[in-house]
């Protein structure tokens, strides 16, 4: 709680936090939606925003506001799944490479660096075009998680390398605790905040990839996500037809989502780096 | 010789590892999927309403299995996979049968290469210089303002930004064409009008990639410069009364630029992915649009070829960046 309070002092964190709270609230609203979003032509088509349809309706006769709530919910769920799976891989690889060092470290890191520099988009396109139409929320999350761990595994490894040289590591080894216990009990708590900072970036990457794949026509289009929403709006030429409320809704929401997640991650990693934290507390005191 | 062994050899080894891991990953992933790629392709064909008689279906399945290298033991498959890659033989395009895939790629490549190399280089240079100045004069008002703007621009992915640029500069203010590489029906000549046309069409894709790219380089450079400025040798130079510009360019930026070069190599893969998407948004006739058409038509040979070739190309570019690095870093050169 104290950490949250400290973080909320930062304007960047406050902005990101508020954006995320609003988006999560919107996504929760989808559970009380008066419409079934998979059904077309529920209302009149192409109506501009009004009190009945807050964000108007689209060319498929759906209410854009409720479509948006489902889109945010599914996109966020995919991102959470992806972040969760890739965190598992990243933590395991980072821990093993950082702790064992030597040849294992070299091997793991050369694989890691290879995945890091690979152009992932073509690979993801290849996989999802073979899986066309079968990618639901969970399998999309799994697939993105499978490819999105490399950068963070490196971050975690370097943290472990630092911890390994600390006094408590030697104390633990000399007093006879097993490697597993040492890693789980002593190292994991140190790594956890770092993992949280990387989650935001990874979620943002996952949402971006989902939208990209959907724009390319590789998603399940009955599943409403930010990507499929954009895809429909573009394929119905909503820009040319002047149905701006349809295309601008997913564009605006995704810009807010990306900027919000990014500011959160910047703020958290600044907080975790004590040097910038001292600077910030310093400036806060000065401005008071 | 020592330089070759200490510096070049590890880089070349890393290059080989990346290519090896990447290609192997593609090989494994295709076989790990719960769907049979060959059946999937046949289904796609059937979906488009093509009725194929059983005998030719059998033949098609056979060819596809050979093309995907699904014949023989897993080791034979693996070596055949590499063999095809070395020969540059990716089979015929399934949609534009029997044009070889490699021909399609060669036609599309100049557009992508031009857009990608030019914007990457310009945005790297521009972002790095601006970031360096903003980091050095980080207390000034314009640097703070620029930093705020970049903070918002940076996390926006390529396609959303491209879309916003398209809405603003092609629909609302029709300054630039909506898409394409040249105006329809323009003959390819080396006249002034043709060049202007090409530039006009490339402007929006290049701008949207360039602005986002600059934002990334700006931000990392600003942070690095800020930390270099507090190093002892800079403080000493200041105390020695050197000119501000000399300190900024010769002492600070010269040192801060080194991690930027390394980062350029590391992010080439992402930049390439961004270029593909930007091309698709602007219907720019490069590899990205070829990929998009291949996805729509279910042309798996093209997708496969682009995937494997981009792995090889990106790793080669990274190797090149690594190999020219000593030109900028005397520490590596003289060790």
């Amino acid at each position: 709680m104290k950490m949250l309070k400290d973080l909320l002092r930062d304007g960047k964190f406050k902005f990101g936090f508020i954006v995320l709270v609003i988006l999560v609230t919107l996504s929760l609203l989808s559970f009380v939606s008066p419409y079934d979003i998979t059904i077309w032509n529920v209302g009149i088509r192409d109506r501009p925003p009004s009190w009945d349809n807050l964000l108007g309706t689209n060319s498929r006769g759906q209410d854009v506001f409720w479509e948006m709530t489902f889109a945010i919910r599914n996109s966020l769920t995919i991102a959470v799944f992806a972040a969760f799976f890739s965190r598992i891989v990243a933590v395991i690889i980072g821990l093993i490479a950082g702790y064992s060092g030597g040849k294992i470290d070299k091997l793991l890191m050369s694989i890691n660096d290879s995945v890091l520099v690979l152009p992932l988009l073509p690979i993801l396109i290849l996989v999802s075009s073979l899986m066309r139409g079968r990618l639901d929320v969970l399998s999309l999350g799994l697939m993105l998680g499978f490819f999105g761990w490399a950068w963070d595994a490196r971050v975690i490894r370097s943290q472990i390398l630092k911890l390994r040289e600390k006094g408590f590591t030697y104390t633990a080894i000399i007093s006879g605790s097993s490697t597993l216990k040492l890693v789980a009990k002593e190292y994991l708590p140190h790594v956890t905040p770092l993992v949280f900072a990387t989650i935001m970036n990874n979620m943002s990457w996952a949402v971006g990839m989902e939208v990209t794949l959907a724009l390319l026509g590789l998603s399940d289009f009955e599943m409403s996500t930010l990507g499929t929403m954009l895809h429909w709006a573009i394929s119905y030429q909503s820009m040319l037809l002047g149905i701006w409320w349809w295309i601008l809704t997913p564009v605006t929401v995704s810009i807010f989502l990306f900027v919000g997640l990014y500011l959160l991650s910047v703020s958290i990693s600044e907080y975790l780096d004590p040097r910038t934290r001292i600077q910030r507390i310093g400036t806060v005191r000065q401005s008071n | 010789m020592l330089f070759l062994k200490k510096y070049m050899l590890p880089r070349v080894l890393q290059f080989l590892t990346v290519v090896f891991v990447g290609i192997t990953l593609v090989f494994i992933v295709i076989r790990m999927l719960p769907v049979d790629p060959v059946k999937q392709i046949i289904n796609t064909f059937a979906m488009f309403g093509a009725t194929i008689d059983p005998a030719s279906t059998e033949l098609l399945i056979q060819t596809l299995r050979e093309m995907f290298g699904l014949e023989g033991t897993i080791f034979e498959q693996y070596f055949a996979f590499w063999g095809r890659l070395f020969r540059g033989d990716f089979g015929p395009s399934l949609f534009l049968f029997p044009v070889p895939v490699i021909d399609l790629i060669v036609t599309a490549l100049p557009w992508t290469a031009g857009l990608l190399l030019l914007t990457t280089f310009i945005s790297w240079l521009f972002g790095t210089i601006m970031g360096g100045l903003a980091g050095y004069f980080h207390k000034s008002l314009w640097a703070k303002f620029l930093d705020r703007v970049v903070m918002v621009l940076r996390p926006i992915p390529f396609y959303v930004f491209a879309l916003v640029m398209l809405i603003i500069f092609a629909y609302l203010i029709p300054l630039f064409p909506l898409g394409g590489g040249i105006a329809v029906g323009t003959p390819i000549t080396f006249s002034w009008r043709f060049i202007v046309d090409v530039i006009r069409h490339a402007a929006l894709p290049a701008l949207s990639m360039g602005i986002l790219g600059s934002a990334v380089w700006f931000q990392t450079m600003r942070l690095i410069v800020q930390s270099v400025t507090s190093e002892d040798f800079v403080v000493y130079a200041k105390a020695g009364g050197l000119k501000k510009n000399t300190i900024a360019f010769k002492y600070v930026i010269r040192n801060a630029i080194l991690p930027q070069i390394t980062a350029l190599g590391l992010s080439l893969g992402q930049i390439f992915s961004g270029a593909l998407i930007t091309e698709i948004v602007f219907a720019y006739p490069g590899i990205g649009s070829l990929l998009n058409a291949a996805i729509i038509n279910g042309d798996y040979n093209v997708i496969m070829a682009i995937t494997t070739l981009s792995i090889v190309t990106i790793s080669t570019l990274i190797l090149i960046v690594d190999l020219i690095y000593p030109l900028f870093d005397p520490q590596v050169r003289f060790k």
Side-chain angles (χ1 to χ4, degrees):
Chain A
M1 258 358 256
K2 195 187 160 290
M3 188 178 157
L4 189 68
K5 224 176 183 176
D6 273 353
L7 279 168
L8 278 172
R9 271 202 226 153
D10 184 17
K12 291 195 282 281
F13 188 88
K14 213 186 270 172
F15 178 83
F17 189 72
I18 291 171
V19 167
L20 212 62
V21 166
I22 292 174
L23 289 179
V24 169
T25 317
L26 281 175
S27 72
L28 289 178
L29 274 181
S30 69
F31 287 104
V32 295
S33 162
Y35 302 100
D36 180 354
I37 212 64
T38 54
I39 300 173
W40 294 24
N41 297 323
V42 180
I44 305 156
R45 289 181 196 177
D46 301 337
R47 282 222 331 218
S50 65
W51 277 115
D52 289 337
N53 307 97
L54 276 179
L55 291 170
T57 59
N58 62 25
S59 302
R60 301 163 69 201
Q62 293 163 322
D63 184 282
V64 174
F65 177 80
W66 293 107
E67 192 191 1
M68 176 188 78
T69 59
F70 280 95
I72 298 172
R73 182 174 102 194
N74 284 332
S75 280
L76 282 180
T77 319
I78 291 168
V80 168
F81 275 136
F84 179 73
F85 292 130
S86 59
R87 265 0 50 188
I88 296 175
V89 183
V91 168
I92 291 175
I93 301 250
L95 279 177
I96 294 176
Y99 187 76
S100 44
K103 274 194 182 130
I104 298 176
D105 181 32
K106 262 194 182 152
L107 179 73
L108 282 177
M109 279 306 113
S110 68
I111 294 176
N112 185 84
D113 289 354
S114 310
V115 176
L116 192 69
V117 296
L118 283 180
L120 282 182
L121 183 68
I123 300 178
L124 284 172
I125 287 174
L126 178 70
V127 174
S128 41
S129 63
L130 288 170
M131 294 279 289
R132 197 191 291 255
R134 297 184 196 209
L135 287 170
D136 54 2
V137 173
L138 182 67
S139 48
L140 242 177
L142 247 175
M143 182 180 84
L144 293 173
F146 182 77
F147 288 104
W149 49 269
W151 184 259
D152 304 324
R154 202 162 235 299
V155 175
I156 291 165
R157 167 184 168 269
S158 61
Q159 178 75 5
I160 296 290
L161 280 182
K162 271 184 221 152
L163 293 176
R164 205 172 59 151
E165 302 307 319
K166 291 261 167 76
F168 69 82
T169 303
Y170 297 106
T171 321
I173 294 173
I174 291 166
S175 49
S177 75
S178 69
T179 312
L180 199 67
K181 205 174 156 196
L182 172 75
V183 168
K185 281 220 162 153
E186 307 289 340
Y187 286 178
L188 267 187
H190 282 278
V191 173
T192 314
L194 196 68
V195 170
F196 269 100
T198 58
I199 277 183
M200 304 295 164
N201 267 328
N202 195 262
M203 277 176 68
S204 164
W205 174 79
V207 175
M209 272 299 168
E210 186 277 321
V211 178
T212 309
L213 291 178
L215 274 181
L216 292 173
L218 291 169
S219 279
D220 174 8
F221 290 112
E222 293 312 311
M223 177 174 71
S224 189
T225 64
L226 288 174
T228 52
M229 205 172 162
L230 265 173
H231 178 89
W232 285 118
I234 290 171
S235 57
Y236 271 86
Q237 299 292 349
S238 61
M239 264 189 283
L240 276 179
L241 297 174
I243 316 168
W244 50 268
W245 53 91
W246 191 10
I247 181 114
L248 277 189
T249 306
V251 168
T252 320
V253 169
S254 36
I255 289 180
F256 269 99
L257 180 60
F258 290 122
V259 174
L261 283 174
Y262 177 68
L263 292 182
L264 279 183
S265 94
V266 168
S267 180
I268 295 178
S269 41
E270 273 180 17
Y271 178 82
L272 291 178
D273 182 5
R275 265 176 304 179
T276 49
R277 182 165 27 163
I278 289 165
Q279 268 175 16
R280 184 194 302 164
I281 293 169
T283 53
V284 167
R285 290 230 175 99
Q286 275 165 20
S287 61
N288 283 347
Chain B
M1 268 334 268
L2 196 66
F3 171 71
L4 271 183
K5 204 176 151 200
K6 280 261 174 206
Y7 186 81
M8 306 281 246
L9 198 66
R11 264 73 191 176
V12 175
L13 279 180
Q14 178 65 29
F15 162 75
L16 294 175
T17 324
V18 174
V19 175
F20 174 75
V21 170
I23 303 290
T24 310
L25 198 70
V26 170
F27 179 82
I28 295 172
V29 159
I30 293 174
R31 280 156 187 79
M32 255 173 49
L33 291 179
V35 290
D36 178 2
V38 176
K39 262 195 199 135
Q40 189 76 2
I41 293 168
I42 302 285
N43 284 346
T44 320
F45 271 118
M47 222 164 65
F48 288 121
T51 37
I52 314 165
D53 65 277
S56 5
T57 311
E58 206 49 48
L59 194 69
L60 189 60
I61 290 178
Q62 192 59 35
T63 351
L64 284 174
R65 283 187 72 84
E66 265 168 30
M67 229 132 56
F68 270 88
L70 295 173
E71 293 290 308
T73 64
I74 192 98
F75 291 106
E76 282 168 22
Q77 290 178 20
Y78 188 62
F79 286 117
F81 193 76
W82 274 104
R84 274 203 313 284
L85 187 70
F86 273 118
R87 288 193 305 272
D89 168 22
F90 297 97
S93 156
L94 298 177
F95 187 69
L96 296 168
F97 199 82
V99 183
V101 169
I102 197 78
D103 286 1
L104 290 176
I105 291 181
V106 168
T107 325
L109 196 62
W111 295 97
T112 303
L115 182 70
L116 189 69
L117 294 179
L118 208 67
T119 50
T120 308
F121 183 69
I122 291 177
S123 64
W124 183 84
L125 206 64
F126 181 72
T128 303
I129 292 174
M130 290 308 287
L133 291 174
Y136 192 73
F137 301 105
H138 60 96
K139 285 191 183 111
S140 69
L141 206 62
W142 66 267
K144 279 181 185 158
F145 173 74
L146 215 57
D147 190 44
R148 286 288 139 82
V149 175
V150 166
M151 201 77 156
V152 176
L153 277 182
R154 176 165 176 186
I156 300 176
F158 284 104
Y159 67 88
V160 173
F161 194 68
L163 211 59
V164 173
M165 293 290 277
L166 191 68
I167 294 176
I168 296 176
F169 293 110
Y171 281 99
L172 297 180
I173 315 164
L175 277 177
F176 295 104
L178 279 173
I182 41 175
V184 181
T186 318
I188 297 182
T189 49
F190 276 96
S191 67
W192 183 240
R193 266 183 64 193
F194 177 74
I195 295 170
V196 170
D197 194 45
V198 168
I199 292 176
R200 244 171 64 85
H201 279 82
L204 264 191
L207 260 181
S208 67
M209 276 190 68
I211 293 176
L212 274 193
S214 307
V216 176
W217 300 122
F218 174 89
Q219 212 175 31
T220 42
M221 187 65 179
R222 196 188 65 90
L223 287 174
I224 302 167
V225 165
Q226 257 187 31
S227 68
V228 173
T229 330
S230 54
E231 298 256 349
D232 284 346
F233 66 88
V234 178
V235 179
Y236 186 75
K238 270 183 196 160
L242 285 181
K243 268 192 226 146
K244 249 191 165 177
N245 281 342
T246 317
I247 300 174
F249 283 100
K250 291 227 165 127
Y251 281 62
V252 179
I253 292 184
R254 182 87 204 269
N255 274 292
I257 214 162
L258 298 174
Q260 285 288 88
I261 298 173
T262 318
L264 178 66
L266 281 177
S267 54
L268 276 175
Q270 280 171 22
I271 298 174
F272 177 71
S273 301
L276 292 185
I277 284 301
T278 312
E279 276 182 15
I280 293 170
V281 173
F282 292 103
Y284 200 71
I287 301 282
S289 297
L290 184 65
L291 190 61
N292 194 28
I295 294 167
I296 293 167
N297 301 323
D299 202 337
Y300 290 89
N301 274 359
V302 173
I303 303 179
M304 186 77 176
I306 291 178
T307 309
T308 42
L309 277 182
S310 58
I311 292 171
V312 177
T313 318
I314 294 296
S315 348
T316 315
L317 284 176
I318 292 169
L319 181 69
I320 294 173
V321 171
D322 265 345
L323 291 185
I324 58 171
Y325 182 80
L327 293 181
F328 299 93
D329 191 355
Q331 279 182 350
V332 177
R333 218 168 29 211
F334 293 119
K335 219 172 232 174

